[in-house]
Amino acid sequence: MVVVVGKEEVVVVNFGNSKAVLCRGGLAVPLSSDLKGERADEKGRCDDEAVVGRTINWNACHLPPLSTTSRSLGGEYRKQYIIMEPEVTVMKRTEQSDDFLIIATNSLWNVVGDKTACEVVKRYCVNGESGRLMSSDGSSTAAAASEAATALAVLAMAKGSRHNISIIVVQLK
């Protein structure tokens, strides 16, 4: 996943296995969708045995050779199974109400919903006029973003996620 944050817009380029969620005015706004084999548009293509062979349902829709995503920057051997064209989203920014972005692998999103993730990160926000993230010792927004990402990772692990939990929290105010 590639995320570019500009003054006027946020651009998200998703190849799969990740998702970006914007917290805008306290609400979770997905900026990308989960690119999984279970998705209707992906499943239709994945189930086309002439294209990919057969899929395996093993706690998720998997493509041979056990790839969990149907889009990827994957290696040469996967080209017959995956789409190499990313999903691109461009979202206009609203400076007053855009609070933060959560960019994470599916290991978070498979066990924690968008709204819950935003609520966890909001616990690290000061409800003052700035609405800026502050660390537990009040020192910096970078420390607060790191603490919020860590809290999300701990929550994901508590809910059973174990593989490649990567999370970035980006302060937008």
Side-chain angles (χ1 to χ4, degrees), residues 12 16-17 37 43 64 69 73-74 84 101 121 136 142 154 162 165 172:
V12 176
N17 259 6
K43 187 164 178 24
T69 183
L73 286 172
M84 308 261 297
L101 280 170
V121 174
S136 56
V154 168
R162 297 281 182 264
I165 303 170
L172 295 175

Side-chain angles (χ1 to χ4, degrees), residues 139-150:
S139 63
S140 74
T141 58
S146 178
E147 287 179 7
T150 299

Side-chain angles (χ1 to χ4, degrees), residues 1 6 8 11 27 29 31 54-55 77 82 89 98 105-106 116 120 130 133 146 155 159 163:
M1 170 167 289
E8 296 181 13
V11 179
L27 300 174
V29 179
L31 298 183
R54 66 182 180 90
T55 57
Y77 74 96
I82 59 175
T89 303
D98 288 355
T105 57
N106 285 347
T116 301
V120 168
S130 72
L133 291 173
S146 178
L155 177 60
K159 291 184 166 263
H163 175 72

Side-chain angles (χ1 to χ4, degrees), residues 1 14-18 35 42 45 63 67-79 81-87:
M1 170 167 289
N14 187 14
F15 284 94
N17 259 6
S18 302
L35 296 176
E42 297 288 309
R45 188 186 61 77
L63 300 172
S67 171
T68 59
T69 183
S70 55
R71 295 180 196 229
S72 177
L73 286 172
E76 193 70 29
Y77 74 96
R78 290 186 174 179
K79 282 188 178 180
Y81 307 116
I82 59 175
I83 295 173
M84 308 261 297
E85 185 175 319
E87 176 185 77

